[in-house]
């Protein structure tokens, strides 16, 4: 059965008036040498009976290991996308005001995985091994394919 995740697409305005979004690179040995399709909105699965927007905020903070900026305005509802695996991703967007997070301070939570697959060996890896700001075109190229629509929706909502 397909799972549901909720996430937060953090964004900022550059000094020249451009837009950048913050994406996380998926952690672990499978993703270590991958770039295109290996980046994601900061997201995770909902706990039972958890409100999706609350889950999005919780997951983003866990994956950053930093407090989120308070919203200057209500978070933008970016709707839902379905990934190839069938997973539903519900997302919101929030502006991160200057100066933004210190990216070298990001410390993602960890998850235990079996590696190599079917080996019985368990290792602990960060959910997100790094984060970076991307212009929308670069974000669409690097993010999990279905999530590119979230970048499009953010640009449309901001009328850019």
């Amino acid at each position: 059965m397909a799972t549901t995740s909720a996430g937060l697409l953090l964004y900022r305005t550059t000094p020249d008036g451009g837009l950048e979004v913050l994406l996380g690179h998926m952690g672990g040995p499978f993703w270590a040498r991958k770039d295109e399709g290996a980046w994601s909105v900061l997201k995770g699965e909902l706990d039972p009976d958890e409100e999706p927007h609350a889950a999005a905020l919780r997951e983003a903070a866990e994956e950053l290991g930093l407090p989120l900026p308070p919203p200057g305005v209500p978070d933008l509802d970016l709707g839902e996308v379905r990934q190839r695996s069938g997973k539903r991703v519900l997302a919101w967007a929030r502006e991160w005001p200057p100066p933004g997070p210190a990216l070298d301070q990001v410390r993602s939570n960890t998850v235990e995985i079996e590696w190599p697959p079917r080996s019985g060996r368990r290792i602990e890896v960060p959910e997100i091994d790094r984060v970076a700001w991307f212009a929308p075109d670069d974000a669409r190229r690097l993010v999990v394919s279905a999530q590119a629509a979230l970048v499009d929706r953010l640009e449309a909502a901001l009328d850019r």
Side-chain angles (χ1 to χ4, degrees):
M1 184 163 133
T3 60
T4 300
S5 287
L8 189 65
L9 182 58
L10 294 159
Y11 68 94
R12 69 179 181 185
T13 301
T14 61
D16 64 356
L19 175 69
E20 291 182 328
V21 296
L22 187 69
L23 300 176
H25 185 271
M26 291 180 264
F30 178 81
W31 300 104
R33 290 190 172 90
K34 295 179 183 347
D35 204 31
E36 289 186 18
W39 292 81
S40 177
V41 169
L42 302 173
K43 64 169 184 51
E45 291 184 18
L46 282 70
D47 288 336
D49 301 319
E50 187 175 21
E51 192 272 321
H53 183 246
L57 300 178
R58 176 183 54 77
E59 284 290 339
E62 286 177 1
E63 290 190 351
L64 284 175
L66 299 171
L68 298 174
V73 297
D75 292 337
L76 294 169
D77 185 344
L78 300 177
E80 175 183 326
V81 295
R82 269 201 198 263
Q83 297 184 169
R84 226 177 287 145
S85 65
K87 177 185 280 190
R88 295 174 57 219
V89 178
L90 310 170
W92 288 263
R94 178 180 291 181
E95 184 171 17
W96 199 307
L103 299 186
D104 62 336
Q105 299 299 309
V106 170
R107 297 288 179 266
S108 176
N109 56 330
T110 60
V111 48
E112 190 176 276
I113 64 168
E114 182 179 28
W115 192 261
R118 295 175 295 286
S119 67
R121 185 171 158 250
R122 311 283 304 169
I123 62 171
E124 195 168 301
V125 300
E127 279 197 68
I128 297 294
D129 61 17
R130 63 188 179 277
V131 296
W133 292 104
F134 295 100
D137 287 343
D138 292 327
R140 280 188 281 271
R141 179 177 54 81
L142 294 170
V143 77
V144 172
S145 61
Q147 294 179 24
L150 301 173
V151 177
D152 295 339
R153 293 174 194 169
L154 174 62
E155 281 190 302
L158 299 176
D159 197 29
R160 301 217 176 172

